[in-house]
Each structure stands twice: as C-alpha cells, then as structure tokens.
Amino acid sequence: MTGSRIVALGHYQPPKVLSNDDLAKLVDTDDEWIRSRVGIRTRHIAEGETVVDLATEAAQKALANSGRSASEVDLVVVATCTAVERSPNTAAAVAARLGVRAPAAYDINTVCSGFSYALATADHAIRAGAARRALVIGAERMSDTLDWTDRTTCVIFGDGAGAALVEAQEDGAEPGIGPVVWGSEPEKGDAVVITGWDPVISQQGQSVFRWATTQIAPLARQACERAGIDPSELKGFVPHQANLRIIDAIANRLGVTDAVVARDVVESGNTSAASVPLAFSKLVERGELSPGDPVLLFGFGGGLAYAGQVVRCP
C-alpha cells in the first residue's frame, strides 16, 4: 500500500454543560479567573455515560458520515487514559457495540497525544497490509479523575470523544496521512500524573506551559517537513486543546497565520486524547475546512509525550 487516508470524522459530547459560573459554586474561582488563565468558558461532563459509550457514539457518527458499515472495518484503536475496565479493552467493547466482526482491537495510552499515536499506528498497519479499514478513536471521561476542590485542575478538563475512519489509499495515490513525528520526555513525566485506584489528576501547570510553548512548535515544524509542506501552506492546525494561551503561542511560533486554528478548548475544555479528533471533526462539520486541505494534527501533554502528522481533510 502507498498509505492511508481519513475518509470521515465524527464526535460526541455528553449533554451536560458545566459553565465557569457553575464551577464558581463548587470551588473558589470565577469566570474571569478561568478565562484569563486557560481561556475556557464551558466543558461537557458525562453523567452515567462510560468511556465506551462516548467512543461508540463518536465512531457511529464517523461511520455514518463515511457511508461505510461496521462490517467493513478490520481494525479498531482507542486512545484513552480514563478506561476503567482492564479487560475487555475499550476498543473490543466498542467493536462489539458497533457489530464489527473479528477486528484487531487495542487501546493506546499516551494521554493527550493519544489520538495522533493511534492514528500513526493505524496508518502503519494499513501500510504494512495488516489492515485495510480502521476506526481510530480518542475518548475520555476526565471528570472521573478530578478533585472538585482543586481549582487548578477541576476548571480545565471535560469529557468527550472524536473518531476517524481511516482506509487504504489506492496504489499510486498521494498518502492522506503524513509521516508521524513522535516521542516523549520521560524524565519530565511527573509534570502531569493520574495515579492510584481512585485516580486524581495533578499537574505542574507552569512547567507544562513552558515545555509546550517552547518545545512543541519545532516538533510540529518537523511533522510538516516530513510531509513535504511548509507550515505557511497549511489550511488547518489542530493542536491538543490544553489551554488557549498555549494554542495561540504554538500557532504564532509555527507561523500558521493563514490557517484555521482549532480553539475548541473554549467550549470543551481539555479532553485529553479526545481533544484533537473532537476539534478536527467540529471544524469539518462547520465547513471551516475543505476536502483535501492539508491539516496539521499535534497532540502533547501527559507523560510529556507528543505526536503529530499532516493529514488531508476528508
């Protein structure tokens, strides 16, 4: 195979919306404090919906948008750091819900960079001939990890899912998913942690901010170089939706002044592995990107892992 491409996207968010004013009733904060620091106005919170539920909803929408059936899928990959069940894994549970027959199915956990990692592994499997059509999903229920008395973290995160249907390109066609740039800085892994059987997230906010605003733009530029494109040629940039100040700083350093830059963090908060596909799907649904547009996806964060690639818009 010469490569793969994204043929459709889908996303899902729980119906409950938690505003900054709602949070101000739970913890010592206010709308101005939150918006000035992270740019978030609202986030969605799951009530009674599991990570499998969120992932399945997003995957169903991606399938519906593609015109393909679940029976045509032979690989399911779910990026998540908030799965509760160890076995069956989230991907297998989603496949069962969808009616996918005998797929390869696995979860991947690189936290906030998870979707780009998952997309790369699906692309590699298709290139190697191990699969022809894959569902790649990022799904998180971050609200399960929050200490609602800690205003430094509980105001940041939200729940949701995004999915992409990826399939093999015809021989000779230009690949729709570019080479991945991925890696990590494990010596800084304690900057964002979720630990214990009753997990609570904590992070060193200033350390993460400095790392993201200084180190990610050069790595994102490498992803463009590997795809044979200059950042100025990008039509879209979908970074991890960590913090509005971080997003704007990376976009400015990368020089994507003419590209549509995803800022879904304002409405959705930080949804970890779900944030990139969720934001990407919304841009496509709203018609802000056109088929064939080059779009840079780049995830980064927990574990201080990162991954990104240039894709063609479905």
Side-chain angles (χ1 to χ4, degrees):
M1 297 295 170
T2 58
S4 66
R5 65 188 180 109
I6 297 173
V7 294
L9 298 161
H11 65 273
Y12 175 76
Q13 292 177 281
K16 180 179 179 179
V17 177
L18 198 65
S19 70
N20 292 343
D21 290 337
D22 293 330
L23 278 171
K25 299 173 185 176
L26 304 175
V27 68
D28 182 19
T29 191
D30 58 46
D31 180 65
E32 190 280 331
W33 190 90
I34 297 170
R35 291 176 66 175
S36 66
R37 284 160 177 78
V38 292
I40 298 168
R41 290 200 301 258
T42 59
R43 69 285 295 148
H44 291 247
I45 302 297
E47 292 184 310
E49 293 175 290
T50 67
V51 172
V52 173
D53 293 330
L54 303 177
T56 301
E57 290 282 353
Q60 287 175 328
K61 291 181 179 179
L63 283 170
N65 290 334
S66 72
R68 306 287 195 268
S69 69
S71 63
E72 298 177 83
V73 173
D74 55 8
L75 171 62
V76 180
V77 189
V78 175
T80 185
C81 69
T82 53
V84 175
E85 291 76 18
R86 269 59 173 178
S87 179
N89 63 27
T90 308
V94 171
R97 293 269 190 94
L98 295 172
V100 180
R101 294 194 294 269
Y106 60 88
D107 292 357
I108 191 167
N109 177 9
T110 59
V111 199
C112 305
S113 58
F115 180 78
S116 283
Y117 265 83
L119 185 62
T121 64
D123 175 53
H124 297 165
I126 290 171
R127 287 174 181 268
R132 284 199 59 83
R133 189 168 289 113
L135 273 170
V136 182
I137 307 162
E140 301 283 20
R141 184 170 158 144
M142 294 302 294
S143 58
D144 281 348
T145 71
L146 298 180
D147 174 357
W148 293 101
T149 67
D150 178 8
R151 72 171 185 171
T152 65
T153 55
C154 75
V155 304
I156 296 172
F157 296 94
D159 303 333
L165 185 68
V166 179
E167 65 181 30
Q169 286 276 55
E170 296 298 325
D171 288 340
E174 181 183 3
I177 298 176
V180 68
V181 169
W182 55 7
S184 64
E185 295 193 26
E187 69 280 3
K188 297 179 181 178
D190 60 353
V192 182
V193 296
I194 305 173
T195 58
W197 288 103
D198 186 14
V200 175
I201 192 168
S202 63
Q203 65 177 8
Q204 300 168 15
Q206 288 303 312
S207 177
V208 174
F209 184 89
R210 287 192 297 270
W211 174 75
T213 55
T214 59
Q215 302 302 311
I216 298 304
L219 295 166
R221 190 173 293 276
Q222 284 183 33
C224 292
E225 291 172 357
R226 291 189 184 183
I229 190 171
D230 188 84
S232 64
E233 299 175 85
L234 292 171
K235 297 298 184 183
F237 176 41
V238 186
H240 169 48
Q241 302 294 292
N243 175 313
L244 189 59
R245 292 164 61 204
I246 290 174
I247 292 168
D248 289 341
I250 295 171
N252 288 336
R253 287 201 67 190
L254 193 57
V256 288
T257 54
D258 295 329
V260 175
V261 178
R263 295 182 174 88
D264 185 52
V265 68
V266 175
E267 298 178 355
S268 303
N270 180 340
T271 56
S272 188
S275 78
V276 167
L278 178 60
F280 190 17
S281 179
K282 286 185 177 182
L283 291 180
V284 172
E285 184 177 76
R286 292 195 298 260
E288 295 184 45
L289 294 169
S290 300
D293 281 350
V295 180
L296 173 63
L297 312 180
F298 209 98
F300 56 87
L304 294 200
Y306 55 84
Q309 59 271 97
V310 174
V311 303
R312 294 287 171 174
C313 185

Short mmCIF file of all heavy atoms in Angstrom, two decimals, residues 123-124 127 177-181 222-224 226-228 308-310:
data_model
loop_
_atom_site.label_atom_id
_atom_site.label_comp_id
_atom_site.label_asym_id
_atom_site.label_seq_id
_atom_site.Cartn_x
_atom_site.Cartn_y
_atom_site.Cartn_z
N ASP A 123 -2.23 3.87 10.55
CA ASP A 123 -1.61 4.13 9.24
C ASP A 123 -0.52 3.11 8.96
O ASP A 123 -0.42 2.57 7.85
CB ASP A 123 -1.05 5.55 9.23
CG ASP A 123 -0.28 5.88 7.96
OD1 ASP A 123 -0.83 5.69 6.86
OD2 ASP A 123 0.89 6.31 8.07
N HIS A 124 0.30 2.82 9.97
CA HIS A 124 1.39 1.85 9.79
C HIS A 124 0.83 0.45 9.51
O HIS A 124 1.37 -0.28 8.66
CB HIS A 124 2.27 1.81 11.05
CG HIS A 124 2.96 3.09 11.33
ND1 HIS A 124 3.54 3.39 12.54
CD2 HIS A 124 3.15 4.20 10.57
CE1 HIS A 124 4.06 4.60 12.52
NE2 HIS A 124 3.84 5.11 11.32
N ARG A 127 -0.35 0.44 5.92
CA ARG A 127 0.81 0.42 5.01
C ARG A 127 1.45 -0.96 4.94
O ARG A 127 1.96 -1.38 3.90
CB ARG A 127 1.85 1.45 5.46
CG ARG A 127 1.48 2.90 5.19
CD ARG A 127 2.50 3.85 5.80
NE ARG A 127 2.16 5.23 5.57
CZ ARG A 127 2.58 5.96 4.53
NH1 ARG A 127 3.34 5.40 3.61
NH2 ARG A 127 2.23 7.22 4.40
N ILE A 177 -2.25 10.63 4.99
CA ILE A 177 -1.71 10.76 6.35
C ILE A 177 -0.19 10.77 6.24
O ILE A 177 0.42 9.80 5.77
CB ILE A 177 -2.18 9.61 7.26
CG1 ILE A 177 -3.71 9.65 7.40
CG2 ILE A 177 -1.52 9.71 8.64
CD1 ILE A 177 -4.28 8.50 8.21
N GLY A 178 0.40 11.87 6.65
CA GLY A 178 1.84 12.03 6.53
C GLY A 178 2.61 11.29 7.61
O GLY A 178 2.03 10.79 8.59
N PRO A 179 3.94 11.23 7.47
CA PRO A 179 4.77 10.57 8.47
C PRO A 179 4.63 11.22 9.84
O PRO A 179 4.53 12.45 9.95
CB PRO A 179 6.19 10.77 7.92
CG PRO A 179 6.02 11.01 6.46
CD PRO A 179 4.73 11.74 6.34
N VAL A 180 4.61 10.40 10.87
CA VAL A 180 4.43 10.90 12.22
C VAL A 180 5.76 11.38 12.80
O VAL A 180 6.83 10.83 12.50
CB VAL A 180 3.81 9.82 13.14
CG1 VAL A 180 4.78 8.66 13.37
CG2 VAL A 180 3.35 10.42 14.46
N VAL A 181 5.70 12.43 13.60
CA VAL A 181 6.80 12.82 14.48
C VAL A 181 6.32 12.52 15.88
O VAL A 181 5.29 13.06 16.31
CB VAL A 181 7.15 14.32 14.34
CG1 VAL A 181 8.10 14.76 15.44
CG2 VAL A 181 7.75 14.61 12.98
N GLN A 222 8.76 19.89 12.24
CA GLN A 222 9.33 18.65 11.72
C GLN A 222 8.27 17.80 11.03
O GLN A 222 8.52 17.17 9.99
CB GLN A 222 9.96 17.83 12.84
CG GLN A 222 11.30 18.34 13.34
CD GLN A 222 11.87 17.42 14.40
OE1 GLN A 222 11.67 16.20 14.37
NE2 GLN A 222 12.58 17.99 15.36
N ALA A 223 7.07 17.75 11.63
CA ALA A 223 5.99 16.98 11.02
C ALA A 223 5.64 17.53 9.64
O ALA A 223 5.36 16.77 8.70
CB ALA A 223 4.76 16.99 11.93
N CYS A 224 5.66 18.85 9.51
CA CYS A 224 5.40 19.47 8.21
C CYS A 224 6.51 19.11 7.22
O CYS A 224 6.24 18.76 6.06
CB CYS A 224 5.30 20.98 8.35
SG CYS A 224 3.85 21.55 9.26
N ARG A 226 8.43 16.48 7.18
CA ARG A 226 8.33 15.08 6.77
C ARG A 226 7.21 14.87 5.75
O ARG A 226 7.25 13.94 4.95
CB ARG A 226 8.12 14.19 7.99
CG ARG A 226 9.34 14.13 8.89
CD ARG A 226 9.20 13.08 9.97
NE ARG A 226 10.35 13.11 10.86
CZ ARG A 226 10.54 12.29 11.87
NH1 ARG A 226 9.63 11.35 12.12
NH2 ARG A 226 11.60 12.38 12.65
N ALA A 227 6.20 15.73 5.80
CA ALA A 227 5.10 15.63 4.85
C ALA A 227 5.38 16.43 3.58
O ALA A 227 4.55 16.43 2.65
CB ALA A 227 3.80 16.13 5.50
N GLY A 228 6.52 17.12 3.54
CA GLY A 228 6.87 17.90 2.36
C GLY A 228 6.07 19.16 2.19
O GLY A 228 5.79 19.58 1.06
N GLY A 308 2.51 14.01 16.16
CA GLY A 308 1.77 14.82 15.20
C GLY A 308 2.05 14.40 13.78
O GLY A 308 3.09 13.80 13.49
N GLN A 309 1.10 14.72 12.91
CA GLN A 309 1.25 14.41 11.49
C GLN A 309 0.36 15.35 10.67
O GLN A 309 -0.64 15.87 11.20
CB GLN A 309 0.90 12.95 11.18
CG GLN A 309 -0.50 12.51 11.55
CD GLN A 309 -0.61 11.99 12.96
OE1 GLN A 309 -1.00 12.74 13.84
NE2 GLN A 309 -0.32 10.71 13.17
N VAL A 310 0.75 15.54 9.42
CA VAL A 310 -0.09 16.29 8.49
C VAL A 310 -1.03 15.32 7.80
O VAL A 310 -0.61 14.27 7.31
CB VAL A 310 0.77 17.04 7.44
CG1 VAL A 310 -0.13 17.71 6.40
CG2 VAL A 310 1.67 18.06 8.12
#
